[in-house]
Amino acid sequence: MDKTIDAKGSDCQPPVGTGIYSEDDLVMISALQHFLFCPRQCALIHIEQQWAENRLTAEGRILHERVHTAGKESRRRLRVEYDVPIRSLRLGVTGRADIVEFHLQDNGSWLPLPVEYKRGRPKKDDTDRVQLCAQALCLEEMLGCIIPEGALYYGQAKRRTSVVFDQPLRAAVITAAQGVHALLAANRTPPPHPGPRCESCSFLALCLPKVVTRKKVATYLRKMVDL
């Protein structure tokens, strides 16, 4: 099974709905995670075309590069594809799945299961799960099937975490995709909202959340004059 993945033999029903975005309108799936983590970070990356790397992002990039060069794997009831190009015209997103496992079902069909690699540990929020579910929705649209679950592999924990693609998670993906498209259409970088996440963000030096949120210089000068 090559990178132009095929759903022959699948008895799944395709998702309801037709594409509303053109190929030119597609945004990266990673933008959904950036948006959920911080809309300002998302705008800095996808509007201002800026990028900043720290130790955490470098380790994550290296991990993905290793996964993407792993080639392919095939067993009797399992086929594994790496670095699979995916897209959804309904969501308006595109990207590449780290791994897509195809599991042979008893009825002879192959059920895809996306697997995303992360460098750290499972997060308390839904950002990783939304990104993985977005990959599943892309595969569903491309292959005309329903994918019930996927998996996240965390490098520090060295284990998989199963993710069920239930209705609330699917709705969160749609909401995030709509939020990203609205943000990019506005073409405006939102102001920062400083918080604990800022300290580990690779964009801290570019974003300057504490500096940007201070009172305007003009206000400060007026106060000085009034003294």
Side-chain angles (χ1 to χ4, degrees), residues 53-159:
E53 191 163 77
N54 60 13
R55 178 181 61 83
L56 301 180
T57 59
E59 289 177 355
R61 174 177 54 78
I62 292 171
L63 175 62
H64 281 85
E65 289 174 353
R66 288 174 179 170
V67 174
H68 291 174
T69 57
K72 62 174 60 181
E73 180 181 344
S74 182
R75 305 174 199 166
R76 191 173 67 86
R77 299 187 65 88
L78 173 67
R79 297 177 181 177
V80 182
E81 295 285 347
Y82 298 84
D83 192 24
V84 180
I86 53 178
R87 66 102 175 95
S88 168
L89 297 181
R90 293 188 303 121
L91 291 174
V93 299
T94 185
R96 308 186 80 86
D98 281 345
I99 292 176
V100 180
E101 297 179 350
F102 292 86
H103 296 262
L104 182 62
Q105 306 299 291
D106 292 338
N107 62 5
S109 66
W110 292 88
L111 180 66
L113 185 150
V115 182
E116 177 72 9
Y117 274 59
K118 298 293 181 182
R119 60 154 298 280
R121 297 180 181 276
K123 297 181 177 67
K124 294 180 180 179
D125 59 36
D126 278 338
T127 54
D128 289 346
R129 290 187 286 273
V130 165
Q131 183 181 10
L132 182 68
C133 186
Q135 295 178 10
L137 294 183
C138 289
L139 290 167
E140 287 183 349
E141 184 176 323
M142 294 169 64
L143 301 178
C145 67
I146 301 299
I147 303 173
E149 64 178 340
L152 291 163
Y153 179 87
Y154 289 95
Q156 288 187 11
K158 291 184 171 54
R159 64 179 178 85

Side-chain angles (χ1 to χ4, degrees), residues 7 15 18-19 21 28 43 47-48 76 96 101 105 112 117 135 137 168 186-187 204 219:
T18 56
Y21 293 98
M28 297 301 297
I47 294 178
E48 300 189 18
R76 191 173 67 86
R96 308 186 80 86
E101 297 179 350
Q105 306 299 291
Y117 274 59
Q135 295 178 10
L137 294 183
N187 198 34
L204 183 61
T219 303

Side-chain angles (χ1 to χ4, degrees), residues 174-190:
I174 295 172
T175 299
Q178 292 172 341
V180 170
H181 279 283
L183 177 70
L184 300 186
N187 198 34
R188 185 180 301 111
T189 301

